[in-house]
Amino acid sequence: MAVRDFLDRFRPAAAPGAAAGGGVPADRAADLAAELDRVLALLDETEAHTESLRERARQEAADRRGRAAARADAIVQEAARRAATVRAELVAAAVEDADAEQTRAAADAERAARSLRQAAEQRMSGSVARVLARLDAITTELGGRPG
């Protein structure tokens, strides 16, 4: 029991003066309920305010998630574009290297063919001279005139 409740027992029921009839006892439960109703009404307002804050926070979070998803998509698209550019540059470099290698191989093949032609011409001229000398010898043996 609170001190206030205890002291309320000794409060006069009417104004000072002559004796009066018995007073109506105070309904402390009703008074406390009325006080509690006012506090609960304030809490209802606070609860409504917090719910509106929560709803705004949910909306803001949804907006941020949407912006983040859009930004992530843009980043992915930019990365794909850059990857395609790098891939194209690598293919171009590989084709350029292959062309240069082909040019070098063709030049090497041309030099080898020229060297083979020269060697063949040298061998052929010596072989032709030997064949002609042999033909002259055979013709002379057979009684003909040398060519």
Side-chain angles (χ1 to χ4, degrees), residues 49-73:
H49 179 68
T50 51
E51 186 57 37
S52 72
L53 289 176
R54 282 188 197 119
E55 185 56 37
R56 270 191 285 169
R58 283 186 204 108
Q59 184 61 42
E60 172 123 3
D63 291 346
R64 285 184 179 185
R65 278 192 298 275
R67 286 192 305 268
R71 186 165 181 242
D73 286 344

PDB file of all heavy atoms in Angstrom, residues 49-73:
ATOM      1  N   HIS A  49       3.350   6.232 -33.865  1.00  0.00           N
ATOM      2  CA  HIS A  49       4.503   6.970 -34.388  1.00  0.00           C
ATOM      3  C   HIS A  49       5.650   6.006 -34.721  1.00  0.00           C
ATOM      4  O   HIS A  49       6.262   6.113 -35.789  1.00  0.00           O
ATOM      5  CB  HIS A  49       4.965   8.017 -33.367  1.00  0.00           C
ATOM      6  CG  HIS A  49       6.145   8.807 -33.807  1.00  0.00           C
ATOM      7  ND1 HIS A  49       6.088   9.709 -34.853  1.00  0.00           N
ATOM      8  CD2 HIS A  49       7.426   8.823 -33.373  1.00  0.00           C
ATOM      9  CE1 HIS A  49       7.274  10.242 -35.031  1.00  0.00           C
ATOM     10  NE2 HIS A  49       8.112   9.717 -34.144  1.00  0.00           N
ATOM     11  N   THR A  50       5.923   5.062 -33.823  1.00  0.00           N
ATOM     12  CA  THR A  50       6.997   4.097 -34.104  1.00  0.00           C
ATOM     13  C   THR A  50       6.650   3.227 -35.302  1.00  0.00           C
ATOM     14  O   THR A  50       7.536   2.887 -36.095  1.00  0.00           O
ATOM     15  CB  THR A  50       7.303   3.196 -32.887  1.00  0.00           C
ATOM     16  OG1 THR A  50       6.084   2.620 -32.412  1.00  0.00           O
ATOM     17  CG2 THR A  50       7.994   3.946 -31.790  1.00  0.00           C
ATOM     18  N   GLU A  51       5.390   2.880 -35.468  1.00  0.00           N
ATOM     19  CA  GLU A  51       4.993   2.073 -36.633  1.00  0.00           C
ATOM     20  C   GLU A  51       5.191   2.866 -37.921  1.00  0.00           C
ATOM     21  O   GLU A  51       5.649   2.324 -38.929  1.00  0.00           O
ATOM     22  CB  GLU A  51       3.547   1.598 -36.505  1.00  0.00           C
ATOM     23  CG  GLU A  51       3.117   0.653 -37.602  1.00  0.00           C
ATOM     24  CD  GLU A  51       4.000  -0.584 -37.703  1.00  0.00           C
ATOM     25  OE1 GLU A  51       4.454  -1.110 -36.671  1.00  0.00           O
ATOM     26  OE2 GLU A  51       4.251  -1.026 -38.842  1.00  0.00           O
ATOM     27  N   SER A  52       4.885   4.169 -37.876  1.00  0.00           N
ATOM     28  CA  SER A  52       5.121   4.987 -39.081  1.00  0.00           C
ATOM     29  C   SER A  52       6.620   5.099 -39.353  1.00  0.00           C
ATOM     30  O   SER A  52       7.045   5.067 -40.513  1.00  0.00           O
ATOM     31  CB  SER A  52       4.486   6.361 -38.947  1.00  0.00           C
ATOM     32  OG  SER A  52       5.208   7.158 -38.032  1.00  0.00           O
ATOM     33  N   LEU A  53       7.436   5.200 -38.283  1.00  0.00           N
ATOM     34  CA  LEU A  53       8.887   5.222 -38.469  1.00  0.00           C
ATOM     35  C   LEU A  53       9.370   3.903 -39.069  1.00  0.00           C
ATOM     36  O   LEU A  53      10.219   3.891 -39.962  1.00  0.00           O
ATOM     37  CB  LEU A  53       9.602   5.477 -37.132  1.00  0.00           C
ATOM     38  CG  LEU A  53       9.479   6.891 -36.559  1.00  0.00           C
ATOM     39  CD1 LEU A  53      10.146   6.945 -35.188  1.00  0.00           C
ATOM     40  CD2 LEU A  53      10.093   7.908 -37.498  1.00  0.00           C
ATOM     41  N   ARG A  54       8.825   2.797 -38.569  1.00  0.00           N
ATOM     42  CA  ARG A  54       9.203   1.487 -39.122  1.00  0.00           C
ATOM     43  C   ARG A  54       8.830   1.385 -40.599  1.00  0.00           C
ATOM     44  O   ARG A  54       9.605   0.877 -41.405  1.00  0.00           O
ATOM     45  CB  ARG A  54       8.504   0.358 -38.344  1.00  0.00           C
ATOM     46  CG  ARG A  54       9.127   0.035 -37.044  1.00  0.00           C
ATOM     47  CD  ARG A  54       8.478  -1.219 -36.442  1.00  0.00           C
ATOM     48  NE  ARG A  54       8.789  -1.306 -35.049  1.00  0.00           N
ATOM     49  CZ  ARG A  54       7.912  -1.305 -34.060  1.00  0.00           C
ATOM     50  NH1 ARG A  54       6.620  -1.273 -34.318  1.00  0.00           N
ATOM     51  NH2 ARG A  54       8.308  -1.373 -32.813  1.00  0.00           N
ATOM     52  N   GLU A  55       7.634   1.858 -40.929  1.00  0.00           N
ATOM     53  CA  GLU A  55       7.185   1.781 -42.322  1.00  0.00           C
ATOM     54  C   GLU A  55       8.082   2.632 -43.221  1.00  0.00           C
ATOM     55  O   GLU A  55       8.450   2.219 -44.310  1.00  0.00           O
ATOM     56  CB  GLU A  55       5.728   2.222 -42.438  1.00  0.00           C
ATOM     57  CG  GLU A  55       5.151   2.057 -43.823  1.00  0.00           C
ATOM     58  CD  GLU A  55       5.272   0.634 -44.354  1.00  0.00           C
ATOM     59  OE1 GLU A  55       5.128  -0.339 -43.593  1.00  0.00           O
ATOM     60  OE2 GLU A  55       5.536   0.482 -45.573  1.00  0.00           O
ATOM     61  N   ARG A  56       8.441   3.833 -42.740  1.00  0.00           N
ATOM     62  CA  ARG A  56       9.357   4.669 -43.513  1.00  0.00           C
ATOM     63  C   ARG A  56      10.719   3.988 -43.674  1.00  0.00           C
ATOM     64  O   ARG A  56      11.325   4.037 -44.740  1.00  0.00           O
ATOM     65  CB  ARG A  56       9.540   6.034 -42.860  1.00  0.00           C
ATOM     66  CG  ARG A  56       8.537   7.046 -43.360  1.00  0.00           C
ATOM     67  CD  ARG A  56       8.908   8.431 -42.911  1.00  0.00           C
ATOM     68  NE  ARG A  56       8.573   8.521 -41.484  1.00  0.00           N
ATOM     69  CZ  ARG A  56       8.939   9.495 -40.690  1.00  0.00           C
ATOM     70  NH1 ARG A  56       9.677  10.474 -41.134  1.00  0.00           N
ATOM     71  NH2 ARG A  56       8.591   9.515 -39.422  1.00  0.00           N
ATOM     72  N   ALA A  57      11.182   3.335 -42.608  1.00  0.00           N
ATOM     73  CA  ALA A  57      12.470   2.630 -42.671  1.00  0.00           C
ATOM     74  C   ALA A  57      12.389   1.462 -43.652  1.00  0.00           C
ATOM     75  O   ALA A  57      13.326   1.227 -44.419  1.00  0.00           O
ATOM     76  CB  ALA A  57      12.864   2.132 -41.280  1.00  0.00           C
ATOM     77  N   ARG A  58      11.269   0.736 -43.633  1.00  0.00           N
ATOM     78  CA  ARG A  58      11.088  -0.366 -44.604  1.00  0.00           C
ATOM     79  C   ARG A  58      11.123   0.159 -46.031  1.00  0.00           C
ATOM     80  O   ARG A  58      11.753  -0.428 -46.911  1.00  0.00           O
ATOM     81  CB  ARG A  58       9.762  -1.090 -44.348  1.00  0.00           C
ATOM     82  CG  ARG A  58       9.770  -2.024 -43.195  1.00  0.00           C
ATOM     83  CD  ARG A  58       8.443  -2.815 -43.113  1.00  0.00           C
ATOM     84  NE  ARG A  58       8.236  -3.264 -41.766  1.00  0.00           N
ATOM     85  CZ  ARG A  58       7.338  -2.789 -40.902  1.00  0.00           C
ATOM     86  NH1 ARG A  58       6.515  -1.833 -41.281  1.00  0.00           N
ATOM     87  NH2 ARG A  58       7.247  -3.254 -39.693  1.00  0.00           N
ATOM     88  N   GLN A  59      10.416   1.274 -46.258  1.00  0.00           N
ATOM     89  CA  GLN A  59      10.369   1.864 -47.595  1.00  0.00           C
ATOM     90  C   GLN A  59      11.749   2.323 -48.030  1.00  0.00           C
ATOM     91  O   GLN A  59      12.180   2.085 -49.157  1.00  0.00           O
ATOM     92  CB  GLN A  59       9.376   3.031 -47.626  1.00  0.00           C
ATOM     93  CG  GLN A  59       9.192   3.624 -48.999  1.00  0.00           C
ATOM     94  CD  GLN A  59       8.646   2.602 -49.984  1.00  0.00           C
ATOM     95  OE1 GLN A  59       7.753   1.837 -49.661  1.00  0.00           O
ATOM     96  NE2 GLN A  59       9.191   2.574 -51.180  1.00  0.00           N
ATOM     97  N   GLU A  60      12.464   2.972 -47.096  1.00  0.00           N
ATOM     98  CA  GLU A  60      13.820   3.438 -47.413  1.00  0.00           C
ATOM     99  C   GLU A  60      14.727   2.249 -47.724  1.00  0.00           C
ATOM    100  O   GLU A  60      15.534   2.295 -48.659  1.00  0.00           O
ATOM    101  CB  GLU A  60      14.394   4.233 -46.242  1.00  0.00           C
ATOM    102  CG  GLU A  60      15.840   4.570 -46.446  1.00  0.00           C
ATOM    103  CD  GLU A  60      16.103   6.048 -46.377  1.00  0.00           C
ATOM    104  OE1 GLU A  60      15.174   6.815 -46.120  1.00  0.00           O
ATOM    105  OE2 GLU A  60      17.244   6.408 -46.612  1.00  0.00           O
ATOM    106  N   ALA A  61      14.589   1.166 -46.937  1.00  0.00           N
ATOM    107  CA  ALA A  61      15.413  -0.024 -47.179  1.00  0.00           C
ATOM    108  C   ALA A  61      15.091  -0.622 -48.545  1.00  0.00           C
ATOM    109  O   ALA A  61      15.995  -1.024 -49.288  1.00  0.00           O
ATOM    110  CB  ALA A  61      15.185  -1.056 -46.078  1.00  0.00           C
ATOM    111  N   ALA A  62      13.807  -0.673 -48.895  1.00  0.00           N
ATOM    112  CA  ALA A  62      13.418  -1.202 -50.210  1.00  0.00           C
ATOM    113  C   ALA A  62      13.983  -0.320 -51.323  1.00  0.00           C
ATOM    114  O   ALA A  62      14.484  -0.828 -52.334  1.00  0.00           O
ATOM    115  CB  ALA A  62      11.898  -1.292 -50.321  1.00  0.00           C
ATOM    116  N   ASP A  63      13.917   1.007 -51.134  1.00  0.00           N
ATOM    117  CA  ASP A  63      14.478   1.920 -52.134  1.00  0.00           C
ATOM    118  C   ASP A  63      15.981   1.710 -52.277  1.00  0.00           C
ATOM    119  O   ASP A  63      16.518   1.656 -53.381  1.00  0.00           O
ATOM    120  CB  ASP A  63      14.199   3.378 -51.757  1.00  0.00           C
ATOM    121  CG  ASP A  63      12.731   3.748 -51.868  1.00  0.00           C
ATOM    122  OD1 ASP A  63      11.964   2.969 -52.492  1.00  0.00           O
ATOM    123  OD2 ASP A  63      12.340   4.806 -51.318  1.00  0.00           O
ATOM    124  N   ARG A  64      16.656   1.577 -51.139  1.00  0.00           N
ATOM    125  CA  ARG A  64      18.110   1.373 -51.190  1.00  0.00           C
ATOM    126  C   ARG A  64      18.455   0.049 -51.857  1.00  0.00           C
ATOM    127  O   ARG A  64      19.407  -0.032 -52.619  1.00  0.00           O
ATOM    128  CB  ARG A  64      18.703   1.419 -49.778  1.00  0.00           C
ATOM    129  CG  ARG A  64      18.770   2.813 -49.227  1.00  0.00           C
ATOM    130  CD  ARG A  64      19.440   2.826 -47.878  1.00  0.00           C
ATOM    131  NE  ARG A  64      19.515   4.187 -47.361  1.00  0.00           N
ATOM    132  CZ  ARG A  64      20.134   4.500 -46.246  1.00  0.00           C
ATOM    133  NH1 ARG A  64      20.739   3.582 -45.533  1.00  0.00           N
ATOM    134  NH2 ARG A  64      20.149   5.747 -45.850  1.00  0.00           N
ATOM    135  N   ARG A  65      17.671  -1.004 -51.541  1.00  0.00           N
ATOM    136  CA  ARG A  65      17.920  -2.294 -52.198  1.00  0.00           C
ATOM    137  C   ARG A  65      17.723  -2.182 -53.702  1.00  0.00           C
ATOM    138  O   ARG A  65      18.497  -2.733 -54.479  1.00  0.00           O
ATOM    139  CB  ARG A  65      16.986  -3.376 -51.631  1.00  0.00           C
ATOM    140  CG  ARG A  65      17.461  -3.988 -50.339  1.00  0.00           C
ATOM    141  CD  ARG A  65      16.670  -5.230 -49.969  1.00  0.00           C
ATOM    142  NE  ARG A  65      15.257  -4.996 -49.746  1.00  0.00           N
ATOM    143  CZ  ARG A  65      14.729  -4.600 -48.590  1.00  0.00           C
ATOM    144  NH1 ARG A  65      15.495  -4.410 -47.547  1.00  0.00           N
ATOM    145  NH2 ARG A  65      13.434  -4.415 -48.474  1.00  0.00           N
ATOM    146  N   GLY A  66      16.688  -1.445 -54.107  1.00  0.00           N
ATOM    147  CA  GLY A  66      16.449  -1.256 -55.540  1.00  0.00           C
ATOM    148  C   GLY A  66      17.590  -0.503 -56.205  1.00  0.00           C
ATOM    149  O   GLY A  66      18.055  -0.887 -57.283  1.00  0.00           O
ATOM    150  N   ARG A  67      18.048   0.563 -55.555  1.00  0.00           N
ATOM    151  CA  ARG A  67      19.170   1.327 -56.120  1.00  0.00           C
ATOM    152  C   ARG A  67      20.437   0.482 -56.163  1.00  0.00           C
ATOM    153  O   ARG A  67      21.196   0.534 -57.130  1.00  0.00           O
ATOM    154  CB  ARG A  67      19.407   2.605 -55.317  1.00  0.00           C
ATOM    155  CG  ARG A  67      18.353   3.681 -55.558  1.00  0.00           C
ATOM    156  CD  ARG A  67      18.764   5.037 -54.981  1.00  0.00           C
ATOM    157  NE  ARG A  67      19.106   5.004 -53.582  1.00  0.00           N
ATOM    158  CZ  ARG A  67      18.266   5.220 -52.573  1.00  0.00           C
ATOM    159  NH1 ARG A  67      16.986   5.472 -52.831  1.00  0.00           N
ATOM    160  NH2 ARG A  67      18.676   5.184 -51.316  1.00  0.00           N
ATOM    161  N   ALA A  68      20.656  -0.309 -55.104  1.00  0.00           N
ATOM    162  CA  ALA A  68      21.851  -1.172 -55.063  1.00  0.00           C
ATOM    163  C   ALA A  68      21.782  -2.232 -56.161  1.00  0.00           C
ATOM    164  O   ALA A  68      22.785  -2.530 -56.817  1.00  0.00           O
ATOM    165  CB  ALA A  68      21.988  -1.835 -53.695  1.00  0.00           C
ATOM    166  N   ALA A  69      20.594  -2.805 -56.379  1.00  0.00           N
ATOM    167  CA  ALA A  69      20.451  -3.809 -57.440  1.00  0.00           C
ATOM    168  C   ALA A  69      20.686  -3.183 -58.812  1.00  0.00           C
ATOM    169  O   ALA A  69      21.370  -3.767 -59.668  1.00  0.00           O
ATOM    170  CB  ALA A  69      19.063  -4.445 -57.374  1.00  0.00           C
ATOM    171  N   ALA A  70      20.149  -1.987 -59.015  1.00  0.00           N
ATOM    172  CA  ALA A  70      20.365  -1.302 -60.299  1.00  0.00           C
ATOM    173  C   ALA A  70      21.848  -0.979 -60.491  1.00  0.00           C
ATOM    174  O   ALA A  70      22.395  -1.160 -61.586  1.00  0.00           O
ATOM    175  CB  ALA A  70      19.538  -0.021 -60.361  1.00  0.00           C
ATOM    176  N   ARG A  71      22.497  -0.548 -59.417  1.00  0.00           N
ATOM    177  CA  ARG A  71      23.934  -0.239 -59.512  1.00  0.00           C
ATOM    178  C   ARG A  71      24.738  -1.503 -59.784  1.00  0.00           C
ATOM    179  O   ARG A  71      25.672  -1.497 -60.594  1.00  0.00           O
ATOM    180  CB  ARG A  71      24.395   0.421 -58.221  1.00  0.00           C
ATOM    181  CG  ARG A  71      25.817   0.908 -58.294  1.00  0.00           C
ATOM    182  CD  ARG A  71      26.132   1.869 -57.168  1.00  0.00           C
ATOM    183  NE  ARG A  71      27.503   2.312 -57.311  1.00  0.00           N
ATOM    184  CZ  ARG A  71      28.453   2.101 -56.424  1.00  0.00           C
ATOM    185  NH1 ARG A  71      28.167   1.493 -55.299  1.00  0.00           N
ATOM    186  NH2 ARG A  71      29.676   2.515 -56.633  1.00  0.00           N
ATOM    187  N   ALA A  72      24.360  -2.601 -59.124  1.00  0.00           N
ATOM    188  CA  ALA A  72      25.062  -3.872 -59.356  1.00  0.00           C
ATOM    189  C   ALA A  72      24.886  -4.318 -60.801  1.00  0.00           C
ATOM    190  O   ALA A  72      25.841  -4.784 -61.434  1.00  0.00           O
ATOM    191  CB  ALA A  72      24.547  -4.940 -58.395  1.00  0.00           C
ATOM    192  N   ASP A  73      23.668  -4.172 -61.333  1.00  0.00           N
ATOM    193  CA  ASP A  73      23.440  -4.528 -62.740  1.00  0.00           C
ATOM    194  C   ASP A  73      24.311  -3.676 -63.662  1.00  0.00           C
ATOM    195  O   ASP A  73      24.898  -4.184 -64.617  1.00  0.00           O
ATOM    196  CB  ASP A  73      21.963  -4.342 -63.115  1.00  0.00           C
ATOM    197  CG  ASP A  73      21.086  -5.431 -62.539  1.00  0.00           C
ATOM    198  OD1 ASP A  73      21.621  -6.479 -62.117  1.00  0.00           O
ATOM    199  OD2 ASP A  73      19.849  -5.224 -62.501  1.00  0.00           O
TER     200      ASP A  73
END
